[in-house]
mmCIF file of all heavy atoms in Angstrom:
data_model
loop_
_atom_site.group_PDB
_atom_site.id
_atom_site.type_symbol
_atom_site.label_atom_id
_atom_site.label_comp_id
_atom_site.label_asym_id
_atom_site.label_seq_id
_atom_site.Cartn_x
_atom_site.Cartn_y
_atom_site.Cartn_z
ATOM 1 N N VAL O 1 -6.840 -2.983 -4.012
ATOM 2 C CA VAL O 1 -5.493 -2.913 -4.568
ATOM 3 C C VAL O 1 -4.407 -3.316 -3.580
ATOM 4 O O VAL O 1 -3.310 -3.687 -3.993
ATOM 5 C CB VAL O 1 -5.182 -1.513 -5.143
ATOM 6 C CG1 VAL O 1 -6.138 -1.184 -6.288
ATOM 7 C CG2 VAL O 1 -5.247 -0.440 -4.064
ATOM 8 N N ALA O 2 -4.674 -3.251 -2.278
ATOM 9 C CA ALA O 2 -3.674 -3.618 -1.283
ATOM 10 C C ALA O 2 -4.352 -3.960 0.026
ATOM 11 O O ALA O 2 -5.422 -3.422 0.342
ATOM 12 C CB ALA O 2 -2.667 -2.487 -1.061
ATOM 13 N N THR O 3 -3.741 -4.858 0.800
ATOM 14 C CA THR O 3 -4.210 -5.164 2.147
ATOM 15 C C THR O 3 -3.022 -5.173 3.091
ATOM 16 O O THR O 3 -1.886 -5.426 2.683
ATOM 17 C CB THR O 3 -4.925 -6.523 2.242
ATOM 18 O OG1 THR O 3 -3.981 -7.589 2.114
ATOM 19 C CG2 THR O 3 -5.997 -6.659 1.166
ATOM 20 N N ILE O 4 -3.300 -4.912 4.365
ATOM 21 C CA ILE O 4 -2.259 -4.990 5.382
ATOM 22 C C ILE O 4 -2.889 -5.474 6.670
ATOM 23 O O ILE O 4 -3.899 -4.944 7.128
ATOM 24 C CB ILE O 4 -1.527 -3.645 5.561
ATOM 25 C CG1 ILE O 4 -0.416 -3.769 6.606
ATOM 26 C CG2 ILE O 4 -2.488 -2.515 5.892
ATOM 27 C CD1 ILE O 4 0.558 -2.600 6.585
ATOM 28 N N THR O 5 -2.307 -6.513 7.269
ATOM 29 C CA THR O 5 -2.812 -7.057 8.519
ATOM 30 C C THR O 5 -2.339 -6.222 9.695
ATOM 31 O O THR O 5 -1.500 -5.327 9.563
ATOM 32 C CB THR O 5 -2.346 -8.504 8.715
ATOM 33 O OG1 THR O 5 -0.929 -8.517 8.940
ATOM 34 C CG2 THR O 5 -2.673 -9.368 7.507
ATOM 35 N N ASN O 6 -2.872 -6.542 10.873
ATOM 36 C CA ASN O 6 -2.436 -5.865 12.085
ATOM 37 C C ASN O 6 -0.932 -6.003 12.298
ATOM 38 O O ASN O 6 -0.287 -5.079 12.813
ATOM 39 C CB ASN O 6 -3.185 -6.420 13.295
ATOM 40 C CG ASN O 6 -2.757 -5.771 14.595
ATOM 41 O OD1 ASN O 6 -2.938 -4.578 14.792
ATOM 42 N ND2 ASN O 6 -2.176 -6.571 15.489
ATOM 43 N N GLY O 7 -0.386 -7.143 11.906
ATOM 44 C CA GLY O 7 1.034 -7.378 12.071
ATOM 45 C C GLY O 7 1.895 -6.855 10.941
ATOM 46 O O GLY O 7 3.120 -7.015 10.988
ATOM 47 N N GLY O 8 1.289 -6.260 9.920
ATOM 48 C CA GLY O 8 2.052 -5.651 8.851
ATOM 49 C C GLY O 8 2.254 -6.503 7.617
ATOM 50 O O GLY O 8 2.986 -6.090 6.701
ATOM 51 N N SER O 9 1.633 -7.673 7.550
ATOM 52 C CA SER O 9 1.724 -8.504 6.358
ATOM 53 C C SER O 9 0.856 -7.908 5.249
ATOM 54 O O SER O 9 -0.284 -7.512 5.504
ATOM 55 C CB SER O 9 1.282 -9.928 6.675
ATOM 56 O OG SER O 9 1.347 -10.753 5.536
ATOM 57 N N THR O 10 1.381 -7.843 4.030
ATOM 58 C CA THR O 10 0.696 -7.156 2.942
ATOM 59 C C THR O 10 0.435 -8.062 1.755
ATOM 60 O O THR O 10 1.132 -9.055 1.533
ATOM 61 C CB THR O 10 1.509 -5.946 2.458
ATOM 62 O OG1 THR O 10 2.813 -6.388 2.055
ATOM 63 C CG2 THR O 10 1.656 -4.911 3.561
ATOM 64 N N THR O 11 -0.582 -7.702 0.988
ATOM 65 C CA THR O 11 -0.850 -8.287 -0.312
ATOM 66 C C THR O 11 -1.179 -7.153 -1.272
ATOM 67 O O THR O 11 -1.614 -6.077 -0.856
ATOM 68 C CB THR O 11 -2.017 -9.290 -0.299
ATOM 69 O OG1 THR O 11 -3.252 -8.598 -0.061
ATOM 70 C CG2 THR O 11 -1.813 -10.346 0.773
ATOM 71 N N TYR O 12 -0.975 -7.415 -2.578
ATOM 72 C CA TYR O 12 -1.204 -6.389 -3.586
ATOM 73 C C TYR O 12 -1.844 -6.993 -4.821
ATOM 74 O O TYR O 12 -1.589 -8.147 -5.175
ATOM 75 C CB TYR O 12 0.112 -5.715 -3.990
ATOM 76 C CG TYR O 12 0.835 -5.078 -2.832
ATOM 77 C CD1 TYR O 12 1.843 -5.763 -2.164
ATOM 78 C CD2 TYR O 12 0.506 -3.803 -2.402
ATOM 79 C CE1 TYR O 12 2.496 -5.190 -1.092
ATOM 80 C CE2 TYR O 12 1.156 -3.221 -1.328
ATOM 81 C CZ TYR O 12 2.150 -3.918 -0.676
ATOM 82 O OH TYR O 12 2.799 -3.349 0.392
ATOM 83 N N ALA O 13 -2.664 -6.199 -5.470
ATOM 84 C CA ALA O 13 -3.180 -6.584 -6.770
ATOM 85 C C ALA O 13 -2.036 -6.615 -7.777
ATOM 86 O O ALA O 13 -1.056 -5.870 -7.655
ATOM 87 C CB ALA O 13 -4.258 -5.606 -7.230
ATOM 88 N N ASP O 14 -2.163 -7.477 -8.775
ATOM 89 C CA ASP O 14 -1.104 -7.594 -9.776
ATOM 90 C C ASP O 14 -0.800 -6.257 -10.451
ATOM 91 O O ASP O 14 0.347 -5.980 -10.811
ATOM 92 C CB ASP O 14 -1.487 -8.623 -10.835
ATOM 93 C CG ASP O 14 -1.429 -10.046 -10.316
ATOM 94 O OD1 ASP O 14 -0.788 -10.288 -9.279
ATOM 95 O OD2 ASP O 14 -2.033 -10.928 -10.962
ATOM 96 N N SER O 15 -1.809 -5.431 -10.612
ATOM 97 C CA SER O 15 -1.643 -4.180 -11.322
ATOM 98 C C SER O 15 -0.750 -3.173 -10.594
ATOM 99 O O SER O 15 -0.240 -2.239 -11.223
ATOM 100 C CB SER O 15 -3.008 -3.537 -11.593
ATOM 101 O OG SER O 15 -3.713 -3.309 -10.382
ATOM 102 N N VAL O 16 -0.550 -3.355 -9.286
ATOM 103 C CA VAL O 16 0.236 -2.395 -8.515
ATOM 104 C C VAL O 16 1.464 -3.012 -7.862
ATOM 105 O O VAL O 16 2.242 -2.287 -7.222
ATOM 106 C CB VAL O 16 -0.622 -1.690 -7.445
ATOM 107 C CG1 VAL O 16 -1.867 -1.073 -8.072
ATOM 108 C CG2 VAL O 16 -1.004 -2.647 -6.322
ATOM 109 N N LYS O 17 1.672 -4.302 -8.010
ATOM 110 C CA LYS O 17 2.830 -4.958 -7.396
ATOM 111 C C LYS O 17 4.132 -4.321 -7.866
ATOM 112 O O LYS O 17 4.322 -4.058 -9.050
ATOM 113 C CB LYS O 17 2.837 -6.449 -7.725
ATOM 114 C CG LYS O 17 1.843 -7.268 -6.932
ATOM 115 C CD LYS O 17 1.920 -8.742 -7.304
ATOM 116 C CE LYS O 17 0.930 -9.556 -6.504
ATOM 117 N NZ LYS O 17 0.930 -10.984 -6.910
ATOM 118 N N GLY O 18 5.013 -4.088 -6.919
ATOM 119 C CA GLY O 18 6.292 -3.473 -7.221
ATOM 120 C C GLY O 18 6.260 -1.963 -7.257
ATOM 121 O O GLY O 18 7.320 -1.329 -7.330
ATOM 122 N N ARG O 19 5.072 -1.378 -7.214
ATOM 123 C CA ARG O 19 4.940 0.074 -7.277
ATOM 124 C C ARG O 19 4.313 0.668 -6.014
ATOM 125 O O ARG O 19 4.664 1.775 -5.614
ATOM 126 C CB ARG O 19 4.100 0.488 -8.487
ATOM 127 C CG ARG O 19 4.695 0.033 -9.813
ATOM 128 C CD ARG O 19 3.949 0.632 -11.003
ATOM 129 N NE ARG O 19 2.547 0.195 -11.044
ATOM 130 C CZ ARG O 19 1.504 1.013 -10.925
ATOM 131 N NH1 ARG O 19 1.694 2.321 -10.782
ATOM 132 N NH2 ARG O 19 0.267 0.527 -10.978
ATOM 133 N N PHE O 20 3.377 -0.054 -5.397
ATOM 134 C CA PHE O 20 2.677 0.425 -4.199
ATOM 135 C C PHE O 20 3.165 -0.334 -2.977
ATOM 136 O O PHE O 20 3.437 -1.541 -3.045
ATOM 137 C CB PHE O 20 1.167 0.217 -4.325
ATOM 138 C CG PHE O 20 0.472 1.094 -5.333
ATOM 139 C CD1 PHE O 20 1.172 1.862 -6.241
ATOM 140 C CD2 PHE O 20 -0.913 1.142 -5.357
ATOM 141 C CE1 PHE O 20 0.521 2.661 -7.169
ATOM 142 C CE2 PHE O 20 -1.584 1.938 -6.275
ATOM 143 C CZ PHE O 20 -0.863 2.698 -7.183
ATOM 144 N N THR O 21 3.236 0.355 -1.836
ATOM 145 C CA THR O 21 3.624 -0.259 -0.573
ATOM 146 C C THR O 21 2.706 0.236 0.535
ATOM 147 O O THR O 21 2.604 1.439 0.767
ATOM 148 C CB THR O 21 5.080 0.066 -0.204
ATOM 149 O OG1 THR O 21 5.956 -0.358 -1.259
ATOM 150 C CG2 THR O 21 5.472 -0.655 1.083
ATOM 151 N N ALA O 22 2.044 -0.693 1.224
ATOM 152 C CA ALA O 22 1.196 -0.346 2.355
ATOM 153 C C ALA O 22 1.981 -0.474 3.652
ATOM 154 O O ALA O 22 2.856 -1.338 3.787
ATOM 155 C CB ALA O 22 -0.034 -1.247 2.392
ATOM 156 N N SER O 23 1.663 0.380 4.615
ATOM 157 C CA SER O 23 2.259 0.308 5.939
ATOM 158 C C SER O 23 1.256 0.853 6.939
ATOM 159 O O SER O 23 0.226 1.412 6.560
ATOM 160 C CB SER O 23 3.584 1.077 6.004
ATOM 161 O OG SER O 23 3.384 2.448 5.704
ATOM 162 N N ARG O 24 1.545 0.690 8.229
ATOM 163 C CA ARG O 24 0.606 1.187 9.230
ATOM 164 C C ARG O 24 1.306 1.507 10.540
ATOM 165 O O ARG O 24 2.378 0.970 10.848
ATOM 166 C CB ARG O 24 -0.533 0.180 9.457
ATOM 167 C CG ARG O 24 -0.114 -1.132 10.097
ATOM 168 C CD ARG O 24 -1.252 -2.155 10.023
ATOM 169 N NE ARG O 24 -2.433 -1.705 10.752
ATOM 170 C CZ ARG O 24 -3.634 -2.274 10.664
ATOM 171 N NH1 ARG O 24 -3.819 -3.322 9.861
ATOM 172 N NH2 ARG O 24 -4.653 -1.797 11.377
ATOM 173 N N ASP O 25 0.671 2.381 11.304
ATOM 174 C CA ASP O 25 1.100 2.747 12.642
ATOM 175 C C ASP O 25 -0.099 2.512 13.542
ATOM 176 O O ASP O 25 -0.993 3.352 13.632
ATOM 177 C CB ASP O 25 1.553 4.206 12.686
ATOM 178 C CG ASP O 25 2.061 4.630 14.053
ATOM 179 O OD1 ASP O 25 1.750 3.970 15.057
ATOM 180 O OD2 ASP O 25 2.786 5.645 14.113
ATOM 181 N N ASN O 26 -0.136 1.365 14.197
ATOM 182 C CA ASN O 26 -1.310 0.996 14.977
ATOM 183 C C ASN O 26 -1.534 1.904 16.181
ATOM 184 O O ASN O 26 -2.674 2.134 16.588
ATOM 185 C CB ASN O 26 -1.197 -0.458 15.437
ATOM 186 C CG ASN O 26 -1.375 -1.436 14.303
ATOM 187 O OD1 ASN O 26 -2.018 -1.141 13.301
ATOM 188 N ND2 ASN O 26 -0.808 -2.629 14.457
ATOM 189 N N ALA O 27 -0.462 2.414 16.783
ATOM 190 C CA ALA O 27 -0.602 3.298 17.932
ATOM 191 C C ALA O 27 -1.344 4.575 17.565
ATOM 192 O O ALA O 27 -2.106 5.112 18.373
ATOM 193 C CB ALA O 27 0.770 3.626 18.514
ATOM 194 N N LYS O 28 -1.119 5.067 16.352
ATOM 195 C CA LYS O 28 -1.781 6.282 15.886
ATOM 196 C C LYS O 28 -3.037 5.992 15.074
ATOM 197 O O LYS O 28 -3.710 6.918 14.638
ATOM 198 C CB LYS O 28 -0.816 7.121 15.051
ATOM 199 C CG LYS O 28 0.393 7.615 15.824
ATOM 200 C CD LYS O 28 1.301 8.450 14.938
ATOM 201 C CE LYS O 28 2.500 8.975 15.703
ATOM 202 N NZ LYS O 28 3.401 9.780 14.839
ATOM 203 N N ILE O 29 -3.333 4.723 14.864
ATOM 204 C CA ILE O 29 -4.458 4.281 14.037
ATOM 205 C C ILE O 29 -4.366 4.953 12.662
ATOM 206 O O ILE O 29 -5.313 5.583 12.183
ATOM 207 C CB ILE O 29 -5.812 4.546 14.716
ATOM 208 C CG1 ILE O 29 -5.754 4.197 16.208
ATOM 209 C CG2 ILE O 29 -6.907 3.703 14.046
ATOM 210 C CD1 ILE O 29 -7.049 4.415 16.952
ATOM 211 N N LEU O 30 -3.214 4.819 12.040
ATOM 212 C CA LEU O 30 -2.961 5.355 10.721
ATOM 213 C C LEU O 30 -2.498 4.239 9.788
ATOM 214 O O LEU O 30 -1.736 3.356 10.194
ATOM 215 C CB LEU O 30 -1.890 6.444 10.760
ATOM 216 C CG LEU O 30 -2.250 7.758 11.453
ATOM 217 C CD1 LEU O 30 -1.011 8.637 11.564
ATOM 218 C CD2 LEU O 30 -3.345 8.484 10.685
ATOM 219 N N VAL O 31 -2.959 4.293 8.556
ATOM 220 C CA VAL O 31 -2.543 3.366 7.519
ATOM 221 C C VAL O 31 -2.090 4.191 6.328
ATOM 222 O O VAL O 31 -2.697 5.215 6.007
ATOM 223 C CB VAL O 31 -3.684 2.410 7.125
ATOM 224 C CG1 VAL O 31 -3.215 1.419 6.068
ATOM 225 C CG2 VAL O 31 -4.195 1.661 8.346
ATOM 226 N N TYR O 32 -1.029 3.737 5.660
ATOM 227 C CA TYR O 32 -0.446 4.491 4.566
ATOM 228 C C TYR O 32 -0.400 3.658 3.294
ATOM 229 O O TYR O 32 -0.383 2.431 3.321
ATOM 230 C CB TYR O 32 0.987 4.928 4.907
ATOM 231 C CG TYR O 32 1.108 5.695 6.196
ATOM 232 C CD1 TYR O 32 1.511 5.060 7.365
ATOM 233 C CD2 TYR O 32 0.818 7.056 6.241
ATOM 234 C CE1 TYR O 32 1.627 5.759 8.550
ATOM 235 C CE2 TYR O 32 0.932 7.762 7.420
ATOM 236 C CZ TYR O 32 1.336 7.114 8.569
ATOM 237 O OH TYR O 32 1.449 7.813 9.751
ATOM 238 N N LEU O 33 -0.355 4.349 2.175
ATOM 239 C CA LEU O 33 -0.116 3.711 0.891
ATOM 240 C C LEU O 33 0.870 4.570 0.119
ATOM 241 O O LEU O 33 0.526 5.663 -0.338
ATOM 242 C CB LEU O 33 -1.412 3.531 0.093
ATOM 243 C CG LEU O 33 -1.278 2.745 -1.206
ATOM 244 C CD1 LEU O 33 -0.938 1.279 -0.911
ATOM 245 C CD2 LEU O 33 -2.553 2.827 -2.036
ATOM 246 N N GLN O 34 2.101 4.090 -0.009
ATOM 247 C CA GLN O 34 3.112 4.762 -0.815
ATOM 248 C C GLN O 34 2.968 4.290 -2.247
ATOM 249 O O GLN O 34 3.038 3.088 -2.514
ATOM 250 C CB GLN O 34 4.513 4.441 -0.291
ATOM 251 C CG GLN O 34 5.638 5.067 -1.095
ATOM 252 C CD GLN O 34 5.661 6.572 -1.003
ATOM 253 O OE1 GLN O 34 5.557 7.125 0.090
ATOM 254 N NE2 GLN O 34 5.788 7.248 -2.141
ATOM 255 N N MET O 35 2.769 5.214 -3.155
ATOM 256 C CA MET O 35 2.536 4.899 -4.555
ATOM 257 C C MET O 35 3.658 5.510 -5.381
ATOM 258 O O MET O 35 3.816 6.732 -5.419
ATOM 259 C CB MET O 35 1.177 5.425 -5.021
ATOM 260 C CG MET O 35 0.012 4.965 -4.150
ATOM 261 S SD MET O 35 -1.604 5.470 -4.807
ATOM 262 C CE MET O 35 -1.420 7.254 -4.724
ATOM 263 N N ASN O 36 4.435 4.658 -6.035
ATOM 264 C CA ASN O 36 5.543 5.089 -6.878
ATOM 265 C C ASN O 36 5.289 4.701 -8.324
ATOM 266 O O ASN O 36 4.500 3.801 -8.609
ATOM 267 C CB ASN O 36 6.855 4.461 -6.400
ATOM 268 C CG ASN O 36 7.238 4.864 -5.003
ATOM 269 O OD1 ASN O 36 7.003 5.992 -4.574
ATOM 270 N ND2 ASN O 36 7.854 3.944 -4.264
ATOM 271 N N ASN O 37 6.005 5.362 -9.225
ATOM 272 C CA ASN O 37 5.889 5.081 -10.653
ATOM 273 C C ASN O 37 4.426 5.041 -11.092
ATOM 274 O O ASN O 37 3.974 4.094 -11.738
ATOM 275 C CB ASN O 37 6.588 3.764 -10.999
ATOM 276 C CG ASN O 37 6.754 3.562 -12.483
ATOM 277 O OD1 ASN O 37 6.782 4.516 -13.260
ATOM 278 N ND2 ASN O 37 6.866 2.296 -12.908
ATOM 279 N N LEU O 38 3.711 6.083 -10.748
ATOM 280 C CA LEU O 38 2.284 6.129 -11.044
ATOM 281 C C LEU O 38 2.018 6.180 -12.539
ATOM 282 O O LEU O 38 2.777 6.775 -13.310
ATOM 283 C CB LEU O 38 1.649 7.330 -10.350
ATOM 284 C CG LEU O 38 1.446 7.140 -8.848
ATOM 285 C CD1 LEU O 38 1.258 8.478 -8.148
ATOM 286 C CD2 LEU O 38 0.239 6.231 -8.592
ATOM 287 N N LYS O 39 0.921 5.543 -12.928
ATOM 288 C CA LYS O 39 0.506 5.452 -14.317
ATOM 289 C C LYS O 39 -0.873 6.073 -14.483
ATOM 290 O O LYS O 39 -1.644 6.132 -13.522
ATOM 291 C CB LYS O 39 0.461 3.987 -14.761
ATOM 292 C CG LYS O 39 1.777 3.249 -14.597
ATOM 293 C CD LYS O 39 1.629 1.784 -14.974
ATOM 294 C CE LYS O 39 2.937 1.045 -14.817
ATOM 295 N NZ LYS O 39 2.809 -0.386 -15.190
ATOM 296 N N PRO O 40 -1.217 6.515 -15.691
ATOM 297 C CA PRO O 40 -2.555 7.095 -15.891
ATOM 298 C C PRO O 40 -3.685 6.162 -15.458
ATOM 299 O O PRO O 40 -4.710 6.646 -14.962
ATOM 300 C CB PRO O 40 -2.592 7.363 -17.399
ATOM 301 C CG PRO O 40 -1.167 7.618 -17.753
ATOM 302 C CD PRO O 40 -0.370 6.676 -16.891
ATOM 303 N N GLU O 41 -3.514 4.861 -15.620
ATOM 304 C CA GLU O 41 -4.546 3.921 -15.222
ATOM 305 C C GLU O 41 -4.724 3.811 -13.710
ATOM 306 O O GLU O 41 -5.663 3.159 -13.243
ATOM 307 C CB GLU O 41 -4.288 2.530 -15.818
ATOM 308 C CG GLU O 41 -2.889 2.005 -15.565
ATOM 309 C CD GLU O 41 -1.949 2.246 -16.737
ATOM 310 O OE1 GLU O 41 -1.964 3.355 -17.297
ATOM 311 O OE2 GLU O 41 -1.194 1.310 -17.095
ATOM 312 N N ASP O 42 -3.839 4.438 -12.931
ATOM 313 C CA ASP O 42 -4.010 4.502 -11.486
ATOM 314 C C ASP O 42 -4.987 5.589 -11.066
ATOM 315 O O ASP O 42 -5.335 5.682 -9.881
ATOM 316 C CB ASP O 42 -2.668 4.747 -10.788
ATOM 317 C CG ASP O 42 -1.682 3.608 -10.975
ATOM 318 O OD1 ASP O 42 -2.103 2.438 -10.902
ATOM 319 O OD2 ASP O 42 -0.486 3.894 -11.182
#
């Protein structure tokens, strides 16, 4: 549903575009997915 490169470049599946946002903190080795306007199909 989403990808994020080491440099922070992202891609999203059509089904989640505009609603999900990926981010990361490489120093902490953490990756996040912010999900807004969630739907039952999620």
Side-chain angles (χ1 to χ4, degrees):
V1 298
T3 72
I4 182 166
T5 69
N6 179 64
S9 179
T10 57
T11 68
Y12 302 96
D14 288 342
S15 58
V16 307
K17 284 181 180 177
R19 300 188 297 117
F20 290 11
T21 303
S23 61
R24 67 191 298 168
D25 182 340
N26 288 334
K28 297 180 179 179
I29 318 181
L30 291 172
V31 182
Y32 305 99
L33 186 67
Q34 178 66 47
M35 306 185 297
N36 298 325
N37 192 25
L38 284 161
K39 303 176 180 180
E41 51 263 44
D42 296 319

